[in-house]
Amino acid sequence: MIAHAPETLVDSGPDLIVPRSSTSFQDSDEALGRLFSDITLMARRMGDVPIAMVSLLRATMGNVGRGGPGPVRERGFPRSQWWMLPGQTQAMRSDLDFSLCEASLDCAGALTEIEDLRQHAPYAASMIRAAMPDVRFYASVAFGNAGGQYLGTLCLFDHKPRQLSQAQREMHALLARQLASQLDTWQELMRLQRLALTDCLTGVGNRRAFDQHLKHEWSRHLRHSAPLSLLMIDVNHFKQYNDTHGHQAGDAALARLGELLPMPLRSSDFVARYGGDEFAVILPDTPVEGAQVVSERIQGGLARASWPLQALHVSIGVATLPADGCGDFHTLMARADAAMYAAKRRT
């Protein structure tokens, strides 16, 4: 049996524990993990079930309200689940594709309740059957944010066929609403943090982001004995470019440079505007030979690219802290800076 119970408003009462705000944690991954741990632990206790789970399906919904159109999958976003299992106090993350949660998609804000999964045909094709063959009961609430983004489902599982009480259904729906609100807050915090660490002209990291990232990668270099490379990049004759074309054109050229620099890089590499017409690229786990290859790829990409008025040419300095080498990040910056000015003198 599948029952769709409409969402009802209930008084939270003194016993409802509101999850702590994710804004109290500086590390975003830790904040998200603590939020899902709190929510799934409360969901498990409220539903009196052994297993609770948050599934972020990363899809969009044209209308979050009941009766709206179905979801449209976004490309490039893996599904993620956070599981609260018996005996745990922290949620565990997985990245499986649980199609069973799609049973909730057409009724966002309402409860989907499947009394016995073995009597439910879609369960036979679900990955949950292979992962947890003894699960019989399933209940979920799909939730979305105020902007129409479908976020995911808050799910309950039990090992025996059953139904939730009306009070449990109401509390489960309310908890899903609280989760959506918390995720909205978290996403806004992440947006503000990105703005604070992004150069507004070029769209790459700013000097503050560069300093933070370099210190982090240097610490990782020490812990794991991994090579760390740095490229310092300076635009050649940029004052002459501004004098010839004007400062607005100079800004447009720097913005174009900000688009081009990340193209030959890995996702683990980091580009920042160091200041003025200087840029920096942090290359973790990269020996000097690899850094030289990246430098050549950047130069080749800039030479082949289209530019608003006139192509920019750059000088690149390469420096590396080898896996077993000594020196701090100040040493690395000084070496890269010196190499950049040496390259500039050759132009």
Side-chain angles (χ1 to χ4, degrees), residues 12-34:
S12 62
D15 297 327
L16 181 62
I17 305 171
V18 179
R20 62 178 70 92
S21 171
S22 62
T23 58
S24 63
F25 301 96
Q26 293 183 352
D27 184 88
S28 61
D29 290 336
E30 179 188 354
L32 204 57
R34 293 288 292 271

Side-chain angles (χ1 to χ4, degrees), residues 201-242:
L201 175 63
T202 63
V204 299
N206 58 19
R207 176 63 182 274
R208 178 185 176 193
F210 169 79
D211 290 341
Q212 290 183 3
H213 206 83
L214 184 59
K215 290 176 183 178
H216 170 77
E217 291 299 342
W218 176 71
S219 297
R220 201 171 70 85
H221 150 78
L222 292 180
R223 290 195 307 272
H224 300 289
S225 298
L228 174 63
S229 292
L230 176 65
L231 308 183
M232 294 298 292
I233 303 171
D234 186 76
V235 179
N236 297 330
H237 313 298
F238 189 64
K239 181 180 184 304
Q240 180 180 336
Y241 189 102
N242 276 335

Side-chain angles (χ1 to χ4, degrees), residues 48-51 85-86 115-116 118 132-138 156-162:
D48 191 24
V49 296
I51 303 170
L85 303 175
E115 182 177 349
D116 189 351
R118 294 182 186 176
M132 299 187 299
D134 58 338
V135 165
R136 301 289 295 273
F137 170 77
Y138 169 82
L156 304 176
F157 300 89
D158 206 338
H159 299 301
K160 60 181 182 294
R162 58 167 292 184

Side-chain angles (χ1 to χ4, degrees), residues 68-128:
V72 178
R73 291 279 187 87
E74 292 180 1
R75 293 186 176 183
F77 291 94
R79 297 182 177 197
S80 297
Q81 298 82 37
W82 280 262
W83 295 87
M84 183 62 69
L85 303 175
Q88 293 181 333
T89 57
Q90 292 186 340
M92 295 191 310
R93 181 176 176 177
S94 69
D95 293 301
L96 299 176
D97 189 354
F98 286 146
S99 57
L100 184 61
C101 291
E102 293 182 357
S104 303
L105 299 189
D106 292 329
C107 47
L111 183 86
T112 295
E113 187 173 354
I114 303 175
E115 182 177 349
D116 189 351
L117 285 169
R118 294 182 186 176
Q119 306 301 318
H120 183 61
Y123 172 64
S126 171
M127 294 185 68
I128 292 181

Side-chain angles (χ1 to χ4, degrees), residues 43 111 139-141 154-156 167-176:
L111 183 86
S140 67
V141 174
L154 177 60
C155 309
L156 304 176
Q168 287 172 328
R169 291 168 183 158
E170 292 173 347
M171 296 300 285
H172 191 56
L174 177 58
L175 190 57

